[in-house]
């Protein structure tokens, strides 16, 4: 019943994007049932969640938290903010992964979103790479982990697009 309801609410393109995004994001975020500080010092738990009580969670709670966050808090707003990709599963899944990692506010103001909005899908996908840095000691430095994640998001994003 829940899966059927989600498909009705999100539609075909978003439904397919959801099936791509949840395991993709989960794989890149990794899972810790216990709270920890992420690479920039933010208190985090489960699959990179920062907006919940910081306590120990079960595996099942972490999975449900990820599904709920991606379904309700990220894929819908990303699709609404970026209607040009709302029915493009690979691009929407990649953009949702980016937004999950950098936040909806940063995604809303990003070159990635702006390029999607004007129909430059390849340019938008390639722009993911600019989000591979963290601030350390007041300077932006490339994070190997973020760099690898962005490369993987770019591959997902470029799926089914004509080669540039």
């Amino acid at each position: 019943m829940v899966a059927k309801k989600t498909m009705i609410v999100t539609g075909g393109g978003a439904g397919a994007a959801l099936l791509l995004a949840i395991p993709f994001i989960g794989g890149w975020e990794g899972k810790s049932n216990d709270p920890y500080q992420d690479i920039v010092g933010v208190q985090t738990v489960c699959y990179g969640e920062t907006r919940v009580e910081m306590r120990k969670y079960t595996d099942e709670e972490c999975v449900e938290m990820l599904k709920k966050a991606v379904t309700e808090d990220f894929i819908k707003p990303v699709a609404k903010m970026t209607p040009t990709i709302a029915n493009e599963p690979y691009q929407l899944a990649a953009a949702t992964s980016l937004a999950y990692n950098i936040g909806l506010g940063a995604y809303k103001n990003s070159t990635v979103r702006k390029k999607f909005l004007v129909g430059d899908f390849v340019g938008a996908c390639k722009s993911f790479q600019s989000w591979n840095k963290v601030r350390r000691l007041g300077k932006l430095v490339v994070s190997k982990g973020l760099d690898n994640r962005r490369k993987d998001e770019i591959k997902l994003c470029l799926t089914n697009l004509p080669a540039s």
Side-chain angles (χ1 to χ4, degrees), residues 80-117:
K80 187 174 181 179
M81 279 189 257
T82 326
T84 52
I85 62 169
N87 290 310
E88 303 296 337
Y90 296 100
Q91 293 72 39
L92 181 56
T96 299
S97 175
L98 179 67
Y100 188 94
N101 187 244
I102 68 172
L104 288 169
Y107 174 77
K108 183 177 182 178
N109 295 315
S110 71
T111 300
V112 170
R113 178 176 166 265
K114 290 172 186 171
K115 288 187 178 203
F116 276 136
L117 288 173

Side-chain angles (χ1 to χ4, degrees), residues 35 57 132:
Y57 288 89
N132 67 348

Side-chain angles (χ1 to χ4, degrees), residues 29-32 36 38 43-51 100:
E29 290 292 335
K31 180 178 67 68
S32 174
Y36 65 96
D38 69 8
Q43 195 74 353
T44 307
V45 71
C46 291
Y47 293 97
E49 185 60 69
T50 61
R51 305 163 303 146
Y100 188 94

Side-chain angles (χ1 to χ4, degrees), residues 127-161:
S127 293
F128 279 60
Q129 198 62 41
S130 63
W131 291 93
N132 67 348
K133 297 170 189 70
V134 294
R135 187 167 303 280
R136 289 212 182 108
L137 302 174
K139 295 181 180 180
L140 284 176
V141 295
V142 172
S143 160
K144 181 84 169 138
L146 286 178
D147 197 54
N148 289 334
R149 180 178 181 152
R150 297 303 172 243
K151 287 175 182 171
D152 211 18
E153 287 169 339
I154 290 167
K155 286 180 196 171
L156 177 63
C157 188
L158 291 171
T159 302
N160 286 353
L161 293 182

